[in-house]
Amino acid sequence: MTTNQKLIIAIDGPAGAGKSTIAARLARKLGYINLESGAMYRGLALKAIRNDISFDDEAALLALAQNSQIRLEPTREGNRVFLDGVDVSQRIREQDVTSAASRVSIHPAVRQWMVARQRELGVGGGVIMEGRDIGTKVFPDAEVKIFLDAHPEVRQERRILQRTETVGQVESQRIAAELQERDLRDRTRVASPLVSAEDAIIIDSSHLSIDEVVDKVEELVRKKLGN
Ligand code: DC
């Protein structure tokens, strides 16, 4: 299904719900671009680690953001991420950056800077952006809003399966604990916590395949487009 009408599709939800996979698949089907807003927070978090800047220092983090170039390049599989011109796509998925991204994202000034950049990326539509506050803050007028959720155990299991090496029990427990901690921080922070927009369609992906979720969202998009 391709169309000339270029919508904005917002997909929010917790880690492991399947947002990036769904966004990438759907983008391919619709001829849209998929943008992972979380990768921008990850880029900033990596720069903070490298510059030894405290994750609690809001002013220093904002200054760091203002002096950074964080670029997303949509691909068929997801986003490649460039920090100051260097490809950091692999590095930003590592555990220390994952945890740091959740910590730097609690600061209102950092969020304001990120939201402004993210809105620039949505100019012209034809965009599927995924994150935590896309339907509530970045694009409150998005034509299609999805809140993609899944049971915590399912999300933990997916994270474990994403690993290429075999994961033992201790490592599994660590992954589960990390996900729980990040969930709690993302949902309870004061600035733009992870919540479903009032007008979002909630999809629970716990017992659905990727194709089934993509079909559901595509159906909603088709309805919006009136065909
Ligand atoms: O989607 P992700 O796992 O790559 O996101 C990493 C962290 O970034 C997440 O724990 C919270 C933060 N984030 C956010 O606060 N707002 C967004 N729109 C996207 C991510």
Side-chain angles (χ1 to χ4, degrees), residues 12 15 19 36-39 41-42 93 98 101-102 105 111 118 130-134 138 159 182 186 189 192:
D12 289 301
K19 301 185 298 295
E36 296 175 28
S37 64
Y41 289 94
R42 286 171 183 268
R93 303 288 162 198
T98 301
S102 172
S105 70
R111 302 202 66 81
Q118 289 156 4
E130 55 102 340
R132 305 291 187 289
D133 62 342
I134 310 306
V138 180
R159 279 286 179 265
R182 198 150 67 97
D186 294 350
R189 68 182 176 220
S192 312

Side-chain angles (χ1 to χ4, degrees), residues 174-189:
R174 195 195 57 72
I175 292 171
E178 183 275 323
L179 202 79
Q180 273 172 20
E181 187 191 320
R182 198 150 67 97
D183 268 359
L184 185 69
R185 191 185 298 115
D186 294 350
R187 286 180 202 270
T188 56
R189 68 182 176 220

